[in-house]
Amino acid sequence: MFEPPSGTRTTLGRHHTPASDLDELAAGRLTPSHAHRIRAVERGRRMLMVRAVVETAREYAVDAGPELPPVRSALDLLLRVERVRPDVVVDLLEHPGTGIWAVRVLDRLRGGARTPGASHAGLPLWVELGYLHCLAAAAAVRSGTEGTIRLPVREGGVALPTLGRVLLPATEPDVEVRTHSVATLRIPRTGAGPAALTVGERELDLPADPARVSGTWHPVRKAAWGPEENGPSLVLEDCDPYRDFRVRTLPSSSVPLDRVQAGRWQQLLREAGELLYARHPTTAQLLAAVLRVLVPLPTTPRFRTASASYSESVGSALISLPQDAVELAVTMVHEARHSALNALWHQLPLCEEDTPDTEGPLFFAPWRGDPRPLPGVLHGAYAFSGVTEFWRVERRALSGRAADLAHFEYVVWRTAVSEALATLRSSSGLTEAGLQFVEGMAVELENRPEEHVPGWPLALARAEVADVRAVWRARHTHPDPGQVRALGEAWLRGADPRTAPVVRSRVRPDPRAGSPDGRGELRRVRLAEPEALPARARAESDASGRPAALVDADVALLHGEPDHALRRYLDVLAAQPQLPSAWAGLGLALLDAGERTAAHAVLRRPEVVRAVHRQARERCGRSPDPVEVADWVGRTPVVCEET
C-alpha cells in the first residue's frame, strides 16, 4: 500500500509523461492533454493516500473511536457513491484539502499519536480521522445517496468539503456544542426533502440548493474570473478546516469572509481575469487549467502580498487580499506556476535528492532571504519566470508611475531568473528530466532578449539586485578564519593590496535571518508612491525594529542623497558593526558617491570587508573607517575571486 511520508514527492510509474509536456510547461504552456494527465495523476495519488490512511489506521488498530463509525465505513460510502456518481468522487479527490488532510493524518499515525483521543495542537486524532467521514457525507449529499452518518464538530461547525459549512448556534440553550463533539447528518433519498443535521436535541435543515446561504448554512463561494459568462471560476475557500496547510488547527489567518470582503474578492478576480485574458492569454489558460481554489488571507500593505502553495494541495493558492487587480493577477501567475510544477514533480522527479530531510548544498535565491536547496531554486526560478513575462508585457500596457514600477519588476525578476538558471545549469543535482526542463526555461528566456528600460527604474532595479545579493552574503556566507586573519594582518601592516591573500567563503545559514531586507519594499514605494516613502519607512522601522538611523539612511539613499546616506550608514555601523543591511547600504551609497572600488568590495564580498573590519577593531581597540577598509579590500584579488 502506498504511503507518502510528509514532504515527499512520489512518482506514479503507470503514468507516462511525454517529453513534449516538459518543453511546453517549461515555456509556461499547458496543453489540454497535459492538463488531463495532471488531473489523472493527482486523482490517483489522492485515492492512494486516502486508502493509505484507512490501511495505516487498521495496521495500528486505530479508529475514529466510539464517537464515529469506523474509517473503513466512510471509505465504503465514498466507493458506493463512485459507482453512481464518479464525477462527485473525482471532484472530492481533486479537492486540495483532501491532500493536506491525508498527509497530516498519516504523519500522526506514523508518529505514534495513535489513540483516538490523542491530541495534537488541541485536536484529538478521532476528529482528524473524521474528515474522511465529512468527505463521504459531502459525496452522499451531492449524489443524493440515502443514509445517516456521524460527523465531527470542529471550531463550532461541521464541514462538508466542496459544499460548505454548518455553523452551529451554540448560544441557544437547547443546543449543546462542545469543542469536539459529534453531529448526525441524515440524507434522504432524492426528492424526499432536505438533508438534516442533528446536534443534541436540535435539528438543522440544509438548504435544497447548497450554493445558497440559509440560516446556519454557509456555502463555499465561487468567483468567476474569466471574461465570458461560462468562463473559469475559483472557489473562495473559507470553510474547509484543511484549507490552510501552514497550521495544524484553526484558527489560522484565513478567516471566514463577510459579504463585503467576498464582494471585494469577486470584483478583483473579475478585473484580474479581464487583464490576464486580454494581455496574457497563454498564461490565463494555464491558470484556468491549474487553479481551482483560492484561500483568502487578510489584506497586507502594498508590496507585501502574502501567498503560498503546497505540493500536496495542487490547485490551491493562499493569497492575501491585494490592493488592486494587477497585484492579484501577478500573484495568481506566481502561485499557478508553483502548483503546475508540483503536479509535474508528482509525475517524475526533477532533482536527484529532493526531500526536506536530505542534506545537500544550499544556494542563493534572489527571491528569498535564506539559502535554498536545489528544488527550491528550481521552483522559484519557474514561478518567477512567469512573473518576469507578466511584467514584460505589463510595462508596455501601463503608463506613468505604474509603468515605472513594471519596468523595475521586469529587470529585477529577469535578472533573478537568469542567475537562478545559471545555478541550476551548473548543478549536478538535476535528473535528466530536470535538465530538460531547465534547458526549456533557459531557451524561453533567451528567446526574449532584454529590452530597453528607462534609466530611472533601470538604476533602481540594478541597485535592488546588488542590494539583495550583498545582504544575503553578509547574512549567510562566512570567510575562512585563517585566510581572513592573514588578510587582516596584511591590512594592519599596510601591505600592497595586490599581494594580499585570497579569501574563500562558504554558506552557513543564519536561521535568524530568513526575511528579505526591507529596502526592496521601499524602492517600490519610491517608484509608485514617492510621497508615501517617509511614512512607509517609519512604519517599516516600527514593525521590524529597524534602527531609526538605518531608516534615515535608506530614505536619503532613495532620494538621491548619497553623501547624507553614507554618513548615516557609518553612524549605524559605529553602533552595530555587524548589521548586514547597513553594510549593503554603505556599498550602494559609495557607488552613488563615485567610490567604485570601495563600493564593489562591500557589494561583492561584504562578509570579507566586515571580517577584516572586525579583526582590525579587535586588534587596535578602536573601530577603523569602514570606507578605508573597503577601499583596500577592493584593490585585493579577493573581490575578483569566486567564493
Side-chain angles (χ1 to χ4, degrees), residues 247-523:
V247 297
R248 281 284 176 179
T249 182
L250 296 177
S252 75
S253 58
S254 170
V255 296
L257 301 174
D258 61 30
R259 185 184 305 180
V260 173
Q261 292 167 332
R264 178 61 177 157
W265 271 106
Q266 289 164 339
Q267 175 190 353
L268 285 174
L269 280 166
R270 281 193 303 272
E271 293 173 0
E274 291 170 0
L275 182 159
L276 287 165
Y277 272 95
R279 302 202 283 263
H280 310 269
T282 301
T283 297
Q285 291 170 9
L286 184 143
L287 264 67
V290 172
L291 286 186
R292 58 175 283 160
V293 168
L294 190 155
V295 179
L297 303 179
T299 190
T300 55
R302 192 178 183 190
F303 309 122
R304 214 180 295 172
T305 302
S307 67
S309 301
Y310 177 45
S311 62
E312 296 301 351
S313 59
V314 169
S316 173
L318 281 67
I319 301 178
S320 61
L321 182 64
Q323 302 297 313
D324 56 41
V326 174
E327 192 174 340
L328 177 57
V330 73
T331 306
M332 289 169 65
V333 170
H334 179 270
E335 295 303 335
R337 283 209 168 206
H338 275 306
S339 216
L341 189 55
N342 280 325
L344 177 64
W345 223 307
H346 288 164
Q347 297 178 56
L348 72 173
L350 302 179
C351 293
E352 296 290 355
E353 300 289 348
D354 62 350
T355 68
D357 298 330
T358 302
E359 292 187 8
L362 298 173
F363 303 92
F364 171 59
W367 46 85
R368 290 281 297 236
D370 54 342
R372 302 298 294 156
L374 198 65
V377 177
L378 178 50
H379 248 289
Y382 185 61
F384 281 102
S385 291
V387 170
T388 301
E389 175 61 13
F390 178 87
W391 289 118
R392 186 186 72 82
V393 174
E394 284 302 294
R395 67 202 186 96
R396 297 169 177 168
L398 300 173
S399 60
R401 293 175 177 178
D404 285 344
L405 179 63
H407 284 300
F408 170 88
E409 300 288 9
Y410 166 69
V411 174
V412 166
W413 298 121
R414 183 185 171 91
T415 306
V417 171
S418 181
E419 290 185 1
L421 288 174
T423 298
L424 292 163
R425 289 169 117 175
S426 64
S427 168
S428 60
L430 296 174
T431 63
E432 183 178 347
L435 282 168
Q436 179 183 338
F437 190 77
V438 167
E439 285 304 312
M441 291 171 58
V443 168
E444 184 68 14
L445 188 68
E446 291 161 3
N447 284 342
R448 298 189 186 279
E450 293 187 55
E451 303 171 7
H452 171 73
V453 174
W456 168 233
L458 178 62
L460 276 184
R462 287 175 172 168
E464 171 73 0
V465 169
D467 196 3
V468 167
R469 178 175 281 278
V471 169
W472 186 90
R473 288 194 66 93
R475 285 174 170 179
H476 302 296
T477 63
H478 296 261
D480 179 271
Q483 293 172 347
V484 162
R485 190 160 45 250
L487 186 66
E489 289 170 354
W491 184 81
L492 286 167
R493 66 173 182 268
D496 184 342
R498 294 172 297 178
T499 65
V502 169
V503 177
R504 304 286 184 182
S505 297
R506 62 186 179 89
V507 175
R508 193 170 73 197
D510 181 351
R512 301 166 301 174
S515 300
D517 189 69
R519 212 157 30 233
E521 181 181 320
L522 296 182
R523 281 190 186 89

Side-chain angles (χ1 to χ4, degrees), residues 58 125 149 166 197 199 205 220 234 269 273 305 413 423 435 507:
R58 182 190 61 78
L125 177 59
I149 186 169
V166 179
L197 190 74
V199 187
D205 288 342
V220 295
L234 284 170
L269 280 166
T305 302
W413 298 121
T423 298
L435 282 168
V507 175

Side-chain angles (χ1 to χ4, degrees), residues 48 115 179 188 208 244 269 273 312 424 536 565 582 592 602 609 631 643:
L48 289 173
T115 58
T179 302
D244 188 346
L269 280 166
E312 296 301 351
L424 292 163
R536 284 292 292 268
D592 287 353
V602 176
V609 176
D631 185 74
T643 58

Side-chain angles (χ1 to χ4, degrees), residues 131-303:
Y131 186 76
L132 183 56
H133 301 69
C134 295
L135 289 168
V141 170
R142 292 177 59 179
S143 63
T145 300
E146 185 178 4
T148 300
I149 186 169
R150 295 201 302 279
L151 305 172
V153 175
R154 290 183 61 171
E155 292 88 31
V158 175
L160 293 177
T162 72
L163 289 175
R165 183 168 181 251
V166 179
L167 278 178
L168 302 178
T171 56
E172 296 189 19
D174 59 336
V175 179
E176 179 187 356
V177 180
R178 300 189 308 276
T179 302
H180 299 125
S181 57
V182 174
T184 301
L185 180 67
R186 179 181 57 82
I187 305 139
R189 67 181 182 276
T190 302
L197 190 74
T198 302
V199 187
E201 300 299 319
R202 178 72 180 270
E203 185 172 283
L204 306 168
D205 288 342
L206 272 64
D209 179 4
R212 295 181 59 188
V213 176
S214 176
T216 59
W217 174 250
H218 293 257
V220 295
R221 293 180 172 93
K222 289 190 176 182
W225 64 275
E228 299 176 1
E229 186 174 341
N230 296 324
S233 64
L234 284 170
V235 170
L236 283 174
E237 181 59 85
D238 63 346
C239 296
D240 195 287
Y242 290 95
R243 62 187 180 270
D244 188 346
F245 66 86
R246 305 167 303 168
V247 297
R248 281 284 176 179
T249 182
L250 296 177
S252 75
S253 58
S254 170
V255 296
L257 301 174
D258 61 30
R259 185 184 305 180
V260 173
Q261 292 167 332
R264 178 61 177 157
W265 271 106
Q266 289 164 339
Q267 175 190 353
L268 285 174
L269 280 166
R270 281 193 303 272
E271 293 173 0
E274 291 170 0
L275 182 159
L276 287 165
Y277 272 95
R279 302 202 283 263
H280 310 269
T282 301
T283 297
Q285 291 170 9
L286 184 143
L287 264 67
V290 172
L291 286 186
R292 58 175 283 160
V293 168
L294 190 155
V295 179
L297 303 179
T299 190
T300 55
R302 192 178 183 190
F303 309 122

